[in-house]
Amino acid sequence: GENVEQHPSTLSVQEGDSAVIKCTYSDSASNYFPWYKQELGKRPQLIIDIRSNVGEKKDQRIAVTLNKTAKHFSLHITETQPEDSAVYFCAAKRRGSQGNLIFGKGTKLSVKP
Amino acid sequence: DTGVSQDPRHKITKRGQNVTFRCDPISEHNRLYWYRQTLGQGPEFLTYFQNEAQLEKSRLLSDRFSAERPKGSFSTLEIQRTEQGDSAMYLCASSFDTIGDNSPLHFGNGTRLTVT
């Protein structure tokens, strides 16, 4: 089955710097890759997603890149702000497996003012 | 807030007792999912419904766990004979999916279960 590895587990950056979180997946049939942000005690919230027919997607300060050949995808946050501090999860889902979104173990991002 | 709602937010129970959680998805969503999240881990898939039909179950879902979505709207997750290892956050999510497309999952705030 699918396995998603996420690195690093913790990341500390200064406000205004960029943050990059990387994930690898094992199942070449996976074709949907969302990223979720979870603040302490709150629900995971979708921040951006990418499908396997594109290589990059941007939304303001957030971007995701996908390398299907290498089976890895990355989240890039530019001009980080203290409110970006949270745990970020990547996930992958196979074509045809409508429910089985497999999550990474998360990255705790701390943005220092 | 018209998002996914879950009840209760917290549940403390003694080992061996049965518990039931409820999830109300976003009203127009046809798919409903249950996930479990333990501290320091990502959510783990348990099961999902397409309308009232339960279409997929994880091997994590032992026979002590049962989920229903009788009218294709709200869902319940019951855990019988709870064990301390069942302590976790139980997350519900919903989505509106068409055939062959992957749509984002919208999560509820979860039910935190503590088994003593």
Side-chain angles (χ1 to χ4, degrees):
Chain A
E2 175 65 278
N3 183 47
V4 177
E5 299 282 343
Q6 183 171 348
H7 300 279
S9 57
T10 60
L11 179 60
S12 182
V13 300
Q14 283 297 129
E15 183 177 0
D17 288 351
S18 295
V20 181
I21 303 170
K22 299 181 179 181
C23 289
T24 60
Y25 61 99
S26 60
D27 189 345
S28 57
S30 289
N31 66 341
Y32 177 64
F33 307 93
W35 286 87
Y36 285 83
K37 175 184 180 182
Q38 188 173 31
E39 297 176 48
L40 191 62
K42 295 191 176 180
R43 70 185 77 186
Q45 291 193 300
L46 179 77
I47 54 171
I48 195 167
D49 57 9
I50 191 167
R51 290 167 174 78
S52 59
N53 57 341
V54 298
E56 184 175 2
K57 183 176 179 181
K58 285 184 180 180
D59 183 3
Q60 300 182 342
R61 297 186 296 109
I62 294 173
V64 58
T65 58
L66 172 65
N67 183 328
K68 286 179 60 181
T69 304
K71 290 190 284 187
H72 67 69
F73 56 113
S74 301
L75 178 71
H76 304 253
I77 306 174
T78 58
E79 300 172 26
T80 53
Q81 300 166 4
E83 50 265 39
D84 294 330
S85 297
V87 179
Y88 291 81
F89 294 98
C90 62
K93 191 158 79 170
R94 286 191 79 186
R95 185 191 309 275
S97 176
Q98 295 300 332
N100 211 0
L101 194 61
I102 304 298
F103 283 82
K105 292 189 174 182
T107 296
K108 184 176 181 180
L109 174 64
S110 300
V111 180
K112 298 181 179 179
Chain B
D1 185 353
T2 57
V4 178
S5 62
Q6 293 187 244
D7 183 69
R9 290 295 309 273
H10 304 274
K11 178 71 178 179
I12 300 174
T13 191
K14 292 185 177 179
R15 189 178 57 184
Q17 298 295 304
N18 299 343
V19 294
T20 300
F21 311 140
R22 177 181 170 122
C23 171
D24 288 88
I26 294 171
S27 59
E28 62 268 25
H29 283 184
N30 57 356
R31 291 192 175 148
L32 186 149
Y33 312 79
W34 285 100
Y35 281 80
R36 180 173 69 187
Q37 186 176 26
T38 53
L39 198 63
Q41 301 293 318
E44 296 175 296
F45 171 76
L46 293 178
T47 188
Y48 109 92
F49 293 83
Q50 166 87 16
N51 299 314
E52 66 275 11
Q54 188 173 17
L55 294 188
E56 192 171 344
K57 290 195 287 187
S58 163
R59 281 173 286 181
L60 292 174
L61 210 67
S62 77
D63 55 7
R64 296 185 297 105
F65 288 69
S66 61
E68 293 183 343
R69 194 184 183 197
K71 298 182 180 179
S73 57
F74 74 91
S75 175
T76 58
L77 177 69
E78 181 184 16
I79 309 174
Q80 296 182 327
R81 305 181 303 281
T82 51
E83 301 173 356
Q84 287 186 324
D86 296 332
S87 296
M89 176 73 83
Y90 289 83
L91 292 165
C92 178
S94 69
S95 69
F96 181 77
D97 285 55
T98 55
I99 293 173
D101 189 24
N102 287 311
S103 296
L105 272 61
H106 299 264
F107 283 90
N109 284 322
T111 293
R112 180 168 295 284
L113 173 66
T114 302
V115 182
T116 62

